[in-house]
Amino acid sequence: MPATPPPTADTPHAIRRRNLARVLRAVAAQGPLSRSAVAARIGLTRAGVAPLVEELLRSGLLVETGRAAPSGRGRPGSELAVSAHGPAGLGAEIGVDHLAVCAVDLRGRVRARVAADAANRQSEPGPVLRRLSALLAEVTARIAAEGLRPAGLAVAVPGLVARGSTTVVHAPNLGWRAADLALGLASAAAPGHGFDGIPLTVENEANLGALAELRWGGDGAEPPGAPANFVHVSAEIGIGGAVVVDGQLLRGARGFAGELGHVPVYPDGRRCDCGGRGCLELYAGERAVLRAGGITPEGAAAAHPGPGARTALLARRAAEGDAAAVGALREAGTALGIALAGAVNLLDPQAVVLGGALAGLAPWVLPSLERELALRTAVAADPSRSGGPKVTVSRLGADGPLLGAAHAALQAVLDDPLNFRAPAHSPRD
């Protein structure tokens, strides 16, 4: 079952729970920090922060790491950090040709990870979820040996997920419709390895990639993280998109916002499996670009299994100067630019972030993409501004959805630390 949401009423109990979350988030994002630094960051006095810190220390979510550097008058205090033990977020990814699971602690460190090639296209959910359950059991056993236990599980899928549910409404590249992953995982789990009682989130993989950008992305500057307003676009077999506004995912009424792959770029173009014509995915998706680059998708899939293997082949050919590969990537960039121009004109984001396989193809995709944005966006023509949004390449690459899933699985702890209590035997750093 999902964790109990934090209370929203302004009762003393509700205010205390929200302040506990603020302290934990500040230390998780920017720690180690002294108590004074925490107080300054969240706008409370040190006296107000002190009992909150003590409660988080008792719960095993924070630890003291030693003396902080002296600043100003008074004795230096101890620095606080989130514990390396206690809660972990389990992230899982179901791809068309792979499965992956990882566990991330409150410090944002990956503590365990496993992956396996898997031919999931047109497979029934049952066998896929049984394989995924085995990987989850392996990762859970690994982190248990390090004093961690799952606080939640989030699963990234390449398809539409009904808002607030665990149901994959349609995942065309998997061939799934109306697949409830909560029921599927419950029936797929081996005896003794069920996930009852652990909050489960099922989310579109592009959305989780965008959440990973918020946490770990950006240009390498400190602090890490993408800007508060950006469009995230990623490509594997299909094209995924996500929109972040003021640091929050834009989900839409049904949870389907961000379906960039089915934005028509050539309205009279080829018929798409979705029923429309000229969809972006037909011109910038993996299969389309491989064909345009002179590579048979089916043959490439057999010879180069696993996530990113075919796009790595295409990048290698382009780097060697293969004219077909270079031309295919240039045309893909043009189609992406046309599709993204509409999003930029509508949303005025600070940045467009290329993730997934697009990160590795950026040297050949970016020039034509940026040219289309410059031609087609009103903001680029505004003399009062320096140009349109910055187009950046994700540092996370293909790992974005999996890392975003693991971080999303920790969200219940970060939102309401009282929902998690570390086992009494948990080690302390």
Side-chain angles (χ1 to χ4, degrees), residues 25-353:
R25 284 199 204 101
V27 178
Q30 302 171 22
L33 295 173
S34 68
R35 287 164 171 79
S36 296
V38 173
R41 278 165 173 75
I42 69 173
L44 294 177
T45 65
R46 177 164 174 163
V49 161
L52 301 172
V53 167
E54 291 307 311
E55 184 161 2
L56 293 171
L57 288 169
R58 286 194 302 271
S59 71
L61 294 172
L62 292 185
V63 294
E64 294 183 282
T65 63
R67 291 286 185 186
S71 59
R73 295 177 295 177
R75 295 187 305 169
S78 296
E79 285 195 315
L80 302 164
V82 291
S83 175
H85 311 288
L90 287 179
E93 183 179 12
I94 299 173
V96 173
D97 55 7
H98 72 284
L99 296 170
V101 175
C102 78
V104 171
D105 65 18
L106 282 172
R107 296 182 179 185
R109 297 184 303 175
V110 176
R111 302 291 292 274
R113 176 175 178 162
V114 295
D117 293 344
N120 296 326
R121 183 188 291 276
Q122 303 304 319
S123 293
E124 290 295 320
V128 175
L129 295 177
R130 281 193 290 274
R131 291 192 293 270
L132 183 67
S133 182
L135 298 181
L136 285 165
E138 182 179 342
V139 167
T140 302
R142 288 189 193 180
I143 63 172
E146 299 185 26
L148 291 159
R149 66 186 176 96
L153 166 63
V155 182
V157 294
L160 300 174
V161 179
R163 186 169 185 170
S165 81
T166 58
T167 297
V168 179
V169 176
H170 188 205
N173 288 316
L174 293 175
W176 291 5
R177 284 188 181 273
D180 188 335
L181 298 200
L183 293 176
L185 281 171
S187 61
H193 291 293
F195 299 96
D196 291 342
I198 299 176
L200 172 65
T201 301
V202 179
E203 183 64 88
N204 174 267
E205 51 90 19
N207 282 348
L208 290 172
L211 290 179
E213 287 298 319
L214 281 171
R215 176 69 171 83
W216 291 288
D219 58 7
E222 293 296 334
N229 296 273
F230 66 96
V231 175
H232 178 262
V233 54
S234 62
E236 295 298 340
I237 302 298
I239 301 285
V243 178
V244 174
V245 178
D246 295 336
Q248 301 293 321
L249 276 172
L250 180 66
R251 296 184 177 278
R254 295 174 295 166
F256 301 163
E259 275 296 294
L260 190 70
H262 295 286
V263 169
V265 291
Y266 302 116
D268 297 323
R270 298 193 299 273
R271 176 74 67 180
C272 180
D273 289 342
C274 75
R277 283 191 177 276
C279 295
L280 173 63
E281 201 164 288
L282 298 174
Y283 303 92
E286 181 186 277
R287 295 171 70 83
V289 179
L290 287 173
R291 283 197 187 96
I295 301 170
T296 303
E298 294 76 16
H304 303 275
R310 273 89 62 198
T311 50
L313 171 65
L314 195 63
R316 188 162 59 249
R317 290 196 179 185
E320 293 168 352
D322 183 280
V326 171
L329 292 173
R330 182 176 58 247
E331 291 305 312
T334 297
L336 281 162
I338 294 170
L340 286 166
V344 168
N345 281 325
L346 186 64
L347 300 166
D348 189 23
Q350 294 166 274
V352 171
V353 181

Side-chain angles (χ1 to χ4, degrees), residues 363-387:
W364 303 279
V365 168
L366 273 178
S368 53
L369 188 161
E370 291 179 321
R371 182 173 62 250
E372 292 299 325
L373 283 180
L375 287 171
R376 296 173 183 273
T377 55
V379 66
D382 183 353
S384 68
R385 297 184 53 160
S386 58

